[in-house]
């Protein structure tokens, strides 16, 4: 065997063996070139597997080196701090330069909203239908004089406000982040100015927020009822339309510029009454000035003057007791019919037939009435509560000895006499809630008659004399016999708590609970009943004299009575409220 040159040992450098035979520089260069090509081939194979077909070794190598440099940069504490301060400075520049800031926010899709209110420069009242333009968007002001914009870009914008008869206003505004309240803008008139005052027809009180309009021009009344309507200088208007929620919209002749147009608005609440036409008693409704009369319920021809009519506190329903149907009692006498009519759509609903039906009170939506010989045919008297909202009824009391039914301050009262055929009946004076709950005996003596002396007191006649019964605490004490044998009728104001109205000596009286005082509203000397309240400050009363039977409306704070319509002197509530 030939001699083999001795192999040099593999020295160990503490990490891995190194082949000493590869120390030659030329060999090492060749090995590095082969290794580099191998790494590039490995990268190509990796990219192909990842779906990157257009592989550029040189390009990949550049970004790879950039990534490695950036990684090394952020891998050091000083590199991270320098990067943080550079980014912070860039953000500061962007925040400090509005144009850059708005550009960035708009590019990110950020949008804002804005609003502006347009007023008349004299009265300071809002102007409706004014055209406001912002960022090319056109919006008309609402009844409050306000135009609302949404979807706005941030930054500088031009605001233009234009209305016929007024000088156009142009402003440069900045739309910022979120909601932008651009404030109030007062327009100066350059056209014809018309002064209008608006008042309530019954109370003569000023109406705030009434809107007058002619074409696209409008104005709104202030708290004194005054408004200034501005029209283009080349226009002429013969009339103006004035509207307000709760009032009838009417046309009024527009007085020349420089004069005042006085307008009275009539409430939309209806007056309901019975009138005889062509020999028949029909039920009608009309506006408070007598206009727009419509038939609610036609008569059948069998009705008589013995008819009762009461309106619900909200004036939406009328309860009518009349002999209008063909039903008769066992003795052949015609039965009375209780009909509930919707004032809005004239829908009638028959609630009862009976020999006698007495209307006691309205307590909210509940009609309280008393009937004898009811539909069931049972003898005696029943006190019924009917709720038109829930279409339900409740029997509050029944028996053969019930009498003296009254109502006061939301509670129903009645007397019960001794019944020889039923010793279990306890005579006395009782009260019950309008839903049938809370029934209790409040006076143990048998009461033969009961009348309402005033707003807070009943007079009860017992075997040992007259007693004054206080409604608020159910206490009763001996008193003298009442001067009048009939109940004082009170009608509570559903729109103004603590105020009632009644008739005393033919005059219309209002009663304030807090002060306990009575005030004479109207003194015609022939008033028979308070028909209904009209809002918080007016009412309708029935006047029945030798010369006329009619309904009048009046404001309770000094208004002038206005005749609504001639009406049959129907009865109202039969006892006291």
């Amino acid at each position: 065997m030939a001699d083999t040159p001795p192999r040099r040992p593999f020295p160990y450098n503490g990490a891995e063996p190194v082949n000493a035979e590869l120390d030659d520089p030329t060999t090492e260069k060749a090995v590095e070139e082969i290794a580099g090509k191998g790494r590039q081939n490995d990268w190509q194979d990796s990219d192909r597997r990842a779906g990157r077909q257009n592989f550029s070794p040189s390009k990949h190598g550049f970004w790879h080196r950039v990534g490695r440099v950036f990684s090394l940069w952020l891998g050091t504490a000083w590199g991270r701090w320098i990067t943080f301060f550079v980014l912070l400075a860039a953000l500061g520049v962007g925040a400090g330069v509005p144009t850059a800031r708005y550009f960035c926010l708009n590019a990110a899709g950020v949008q804002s909203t804005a609003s502006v209110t347009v007023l008349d420069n004299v009265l300071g009242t809002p102007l409706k239908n004014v055209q406001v333009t912002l960022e090319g968007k056109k919006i008309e002001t609402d009844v409050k004089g306000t135009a609302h914009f949404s979807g706005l870009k941030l930054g500088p914008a031009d605001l233009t406000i234009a209305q016929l008869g007024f000088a156009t206003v142009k402003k440069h505004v900045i739309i910022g982040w979120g909601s932008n309240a651009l404030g109030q803008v007062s327009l100066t008139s350059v056209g014809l100015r018309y002064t209008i005052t608006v008042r309530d027809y019954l109370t003569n009180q000023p109406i705030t927020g009434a809107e007058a309009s002619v074409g696209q021009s409008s104005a709104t009344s202030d708290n004194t009822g005054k408004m200034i309507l501005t029209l283009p200088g080349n226009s002429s208007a013969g009339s103006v339309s004035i509207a307000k929620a709760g009032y009838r919209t009417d046309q009024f002749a527009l007085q020349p510029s420089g004069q005042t147009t006085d307008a009275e608005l009539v409430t939309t609440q209806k007056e309901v009454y019975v009138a005889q036409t062509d020999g028949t008693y029909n039920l009608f409704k009309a506006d408070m000035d007598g206009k727009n009369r419509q038939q609610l319920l036609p008569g059948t021809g069998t009705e008589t003057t013995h008819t009762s009519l009461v309106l619900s506190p909200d004036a939406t329903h009328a309860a009518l007791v009349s002999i209008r149907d063909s039903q008769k009692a066992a003795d052949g006498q015609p039965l009375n019919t209780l009909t509930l009519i919707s004032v809005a759509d004239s829908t009638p609903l028959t609630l009862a037939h009976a020999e006698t039906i007495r209307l006691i009170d309205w307590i909210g939506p509940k009609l309280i009435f008393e009937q004898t010989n009811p539909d069931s045919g049972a003898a005696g008297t029943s006190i019924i509560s009917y709720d038109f909202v829930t279409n339900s009824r409740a029997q509050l009391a029944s028996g053969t000895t019930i009498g003296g039914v009254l109502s006061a301050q939301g509670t129903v009262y009645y007397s019960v006499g001794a019944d020889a055929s039923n010793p279990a009946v306890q005579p006395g004076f009782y009260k019950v809630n309008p839903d049938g709950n809370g029934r209790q005996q409040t006076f143990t003596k048998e009461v033969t008659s009961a009348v309402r002396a005033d707003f807070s007191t009943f007079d009860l006649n017992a075997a040992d004399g007259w007693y004054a019964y206080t409604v608020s605490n159910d206490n009763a004490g001996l008193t003298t016999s009442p001067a009048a044998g009939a109940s004082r009728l009170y009608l509570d104001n559903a729109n103004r708590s603590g105020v009632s109205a009644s008739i005393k000596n033919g005059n219309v009286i209002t009663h304030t609970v807090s002060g306990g005082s009575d005030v004479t509203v109207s003194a015609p000397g022939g008033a028979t009943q308070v028909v209904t309240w009209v809002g918080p400050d007016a009412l309708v009363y029935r006047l029945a004299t030798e010369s006329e039977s009619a309904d009048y409306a009046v404001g309770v704070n000094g208004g002038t009575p206005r005749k609504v319509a001639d009406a049959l002197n129907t009865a109202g509530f039969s006892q006291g409220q």
Side-chain angles (χ1 to χ4, degrees):
M1 175 179 293
D3 293 336
T4 302
R7 300 176 64 89
R8 289 188 298 179
F10 291 95
Y12 186 74
N13 62 2
E16 59 180 2
V18 179
N19 190 343
E21 295 179 335
L22 300 181
D23 288 343
D24 179 64
T26 304
T27 305
E28 289 183 1
K29 181 179 180 180
V31 171
E32 283 296 321
E33 290 178 354
I34 295 172
K37 292 180 180 179
R39 284 194 297 270
Q40 289 180 357
N41 291 335
D42 290 341
W43 293 337
Q44 283 182 316
D45 290 341
S46 176
D47 284 353
R48 290 191 187 100
R49 287 193 298 270
R52 295 189 289 267
Q53 299 298 323
N54 297 325
F55 174 73
S56 174
S58 60
K59 183 178 182 181
H60 180 87
F62 172 77
W63 287 110
H64 176 72
R65 293 186 184 91
V66 171
R68 285 180 61 84
V69 170
F70 190 69
S71 177
L72 291 172
W73 173 268
L74 293 180
T76 62
W78 54 270
R80 288 192 298 270
W81 277 107
I82 292 175
T83 302
F84 170 75
F85 284 116
V86 169
L87 292 175
L88 186 63
L91 290 175
V93 171
V97 180
T99 303
R101 180 173 66 249
Y102 297 141
F103 176 81
C104 294
L105 292 174
N106 289 330
V110 176
Q111 293 183 332
S112 291
T113 62
S115 63
V116 61
T117 300
V118 184
L119 306 175
D120 175 89
N121 72 319
V122 177
L123 297 179
T125 51
L127 294 175
K128 183 184 176 184
N129 296 330
V130 177
Q131 189 176 87
V132 182
T133 304
L134 182 62
E135 288 189 0
K137 296 183 177 182
K138 295 182 179 180
I139 301 291
E140 289 188 348
T141 56
D142 57 19
V143 293
K144 296 181 179 180
T146 303
H148 299 274
F149 291 86
S150 60
L152 299 175
K153 292 183 178 180
L154 280 67
D158 291 325
L159 174 69
T160 303
I161 303 175
Q163 173 71 328
L164 293 174
F166 292 89
T168 299
V169 172
K170 294 184 177 181
K171 298 180 67 177
H172 189 67
V173 298
I174 301 296
I175 304 300
W177 184 289
S179 177
N180 295 263
L182 303 180
Q184 297 177 341
V185 177
S186 296
L187 297 188
T188 302
S189 65
V190 293
L192 297 176
R193 300 172 65 86
Y194 296 88
T195 302
I196 304 171
T197 59
V198 187
R199 295 185 176 274
D200 185 282
Y201 172 76
L202 296 180
T203 67
N204 199 38
Q205 295 301 307
I207 298 177
T208 303
E211 180 187 339
S213 60
V214 175
Q216 290 297 310
S217 300
S218 64
T220 305
S221 60
D222 61 12
N223 56 7
T224 68
K226 182 179 179 180
M227 68 179 83
I228 296 178
L229 178 66
T230 302
L231 302 179
N234 59 354
S235 65
S236 60
S239 64
V240 58
S241 175
I242 302 180
K244 166 72 175 179
Y247 289 89
R248 187 182 69 203
T249 300
D250 276 331
Q251 297 284 330
F252 297 90
L254 196 58
Q255 298 300 312
S257 181
Q259 301 182 25
T260 299
T261 300
D262 294 317
E264 292 180 325
L265 296 188
V266 179
T267 177
T268 55
Q269 181 176 325
K270 299 294 184 179
E271 153 71 339
V272 179
Y273 58 96
V274 174
Q276 188 180 35
T277 55
D278 299 326
T280 302
Y281 293 104
N282 304 301
L283 185 66
F284 293 93
K285 68 177 179 180
D287 293 341
M288 290 299 163
D289 59 355
K291 296 180 180 179
N292 299 320
R293 182 169 111 161
Q294 294 177 282
Q295 188 179 83
L296 268 178
L297 186 69
T300 61
T302 60
E303 293 87 355
T304 69
T305 55
H306 299 290
T307 299
S308 297
L309 175 67
V310 294
L311 271 174
S312 61
D314 61 3
T316 62
H317 289 75
L320 177 70
V321 177
S322 62
I323 302 174
R324 59 177 287 108
D325 293 342
S326 58
Q327 295 194 28
K328 297 183 178 181
D331 59 2
Q333 293 297 317
L335 295 176
N336 280 283
T337 302
L338 173 56
T339 309
L340 187 68
I341 306 101
S342 168
V343 176
D345 59 17
S346 306
T347 302
L349 175 65
T350 300
L351 296 182
H353 291 99
E355 289 185 6
T356 303
I357 300 177
R358 296 185 178 92
L359 301 174
I360 304 301
D361 199 2
W362 278 103
I363 302 178
K366 294 179 173 61
L367 174 65
I368 314 299
F369 61 95
E370 174 190 8
Q371 65 180 41
T372 58
N373 290 332
D375 297 335
S376 61
T381 300
S382 295
I383 305 174
I384 307 297
S385 169
Y386 175 79
D387 190 321
F388 66 75
V389 173
T390 61
N391 189 28
S392 61
R393 68 176 64 206
Q395 182 169 277
L396 306 185
S398 65
T400 59
T401 59
I402 288 180
V405 184
L406 306 111
S407 176
Q409 302 176 30
T411 303
V412 179
Y413 298 82
Y414 61 95
S415 62
V416 176
D419 188 350
S421 63
N422 186 2
V425 173
Q426 296 182 346
F429 197 61
Y430 290 78
K431 72 177 182 179
V432 63
N433 295 330
D435 59 2
N437 296 320
R439 183 184 292 105
Q440 66 181 59
Q441 186 184 38
T442 58
F443 186 66
T444 57
K445 296 179 181 293
E446 184 174 0
V447 176
T448 57
S449 63
V451 296
R452 190 171 186 179
D454 54 38
F455 184 80
S456 304
T457 310
F458 294 144
D459 283 339
L460 308 181
N461 189 14
D464 58 346
W466 284 91
Y467 285 80
Y469 177 97
T470 304
V471 173
S472 60
N473 56 21
D474 299 322
N475 290 334
L478 283 169
T479 186
T480 58
S481 60
S487 284
R488 180 96 174 261
L489 305 177
Y490 286 87
L491 193 65
D492 296 336
N493 191 333
N495 300 290
R496 189 176 174 188
S497 179
V499 177
S500 291
S502 65
I503 303 297
K504 185 177 182 180
N505 299 326
N507 300 323
V508 182
I509 309 295
T510 57
H511 177 82
T512 302
V513 177
S514 59
S517 60
D518 288 347
V519 176
T520 300
V521 172
S522 180
T528 60
Q529 64 172 295
V530 178
V531 176
T532 185
W533 280 94
V534 184
D537 299 314
L539 54 79
V540 176
Y541 65 89
R542 176 72 43 76
L543 181 65
T545 64
E546 292 183 358
S547 59
E548 70 172 335
S549 177
D551 286 350
Y552 281 78
V554 63
V556 298
N557 298 313
T560 301
R562 308 261 193 156
K563 183 175 180 178
V564 181
D566 293 319
L568 176 69
N569 187 24
T570 55
F573 295 114
S574 62
Q575 294 291 326
Q577 297 76 40

